[in-house]
Amino acid sequence: MKKARQPILYALCSIASFLLEYAVLFCLEYFFGSWLSEAPQKVIARAISSFFNFNMNNWLVFRGSETYWRKLVKYYCLVIPSMLISAGLLSLVAKWTRIDEITASYSRGKAAALHTLINAPVDVAMAVVNFLVQKYWVFTRKKKAEE
């Protein structure tokens, strides 16, 4: 069970970050949607949720031995390319599956549900890669010299 603790905590922190991001998106749309477009809303929500996710991973999941600021810089060196890769993969999957053509006549809710199903495999794959990179690079532990 001890080996499963870290991936389980990582998954729970990721879910909490996901929920926070969507709560922030909802609030931004609700309160500022008339003058703040969708792209800045997503950037603000992702910035808040990723900072929350970093701190939860740092505090609960990995506890690396480097300084907070060094881990934070390394984390964002992972997060930014990860977002771009994820967006690119999702775009390729959407193009390959022709999901936009298929859902063009669907209700907004049904189309969103199908898009979410298409996104799930990409998100899961990215989560596994991000877990490994965080474990072995972002939150590394210095090995003590044997005496």
Side-chain angles (χ1 to χ4, degrees), residues 80-100:
I80 293 168
S82 180
M83 286 188 325
L84 297 173
I85 290 167
S86 178
L89 288 173
L90 291 172
S91 179
L92 285 173
V93 170
K95 188 178 238 180
W96 179 65
T97 61
R98 298 183 7 217
I99 191 71
D100 291 329

Side-chain angles (χ1 to χ4, degrees), residues 114-133:
L114 286 172
H115 275 270
T116 301
L117 287 174
I118 295 292
N119 292 349
V122 171
D123 289 342
V124 168
M126 292 301 295
V128 170
V129 170
N130 286 341
F131 171 80
L132 294 171
V133 173

Side-chain angles (χ1 to χ4, degrees), residues 15-73:
I15 291 167
S17 298
F18 167 81
L19 294 173
L20 174 64
E21 183 169 331
Y22 278 85
V24 171
L25 272 173
F26 174 83
C27 291
L28 289 171
E29 176 60 31
Y30 186 81
F31 292 110
F32 305 107
S34 61
W35 64 271
L36 188 62
S37 67
E38 186 178 356
Q41 289 177 21
K42 285 184 177 184
V43 169
I44 292 167
R46 180 58 57 96
I48 291 169
S49 70
S50 65
F51 186 68
F52 171 81
N53 184 263
F54 166 79
N55 283 292
M56 295 307 292
N57 284 340
N58 187 45
W59 180 55
L60 286 174
V61 182
F62 298 110
R63 295 190 183 121
S65 59
E66 294 183 312
T67 67
Y68 177 87
W69 297 107
R70 184 166 172 82
K71 290 183 282 190
L72 184 66
V73 168

Side-chain angles (χ1 to χ4, degrees), residues 98-112 114-115:
R98 298 183 7 217
I99 191 71
D100 291 329
E101 294 173 36
I102 294 168
T103 61
S105 64
Y106 291 1
S107 69
R108 188 173 180 182
K110 190 174 180 181
L114 286 172
H115 275 270

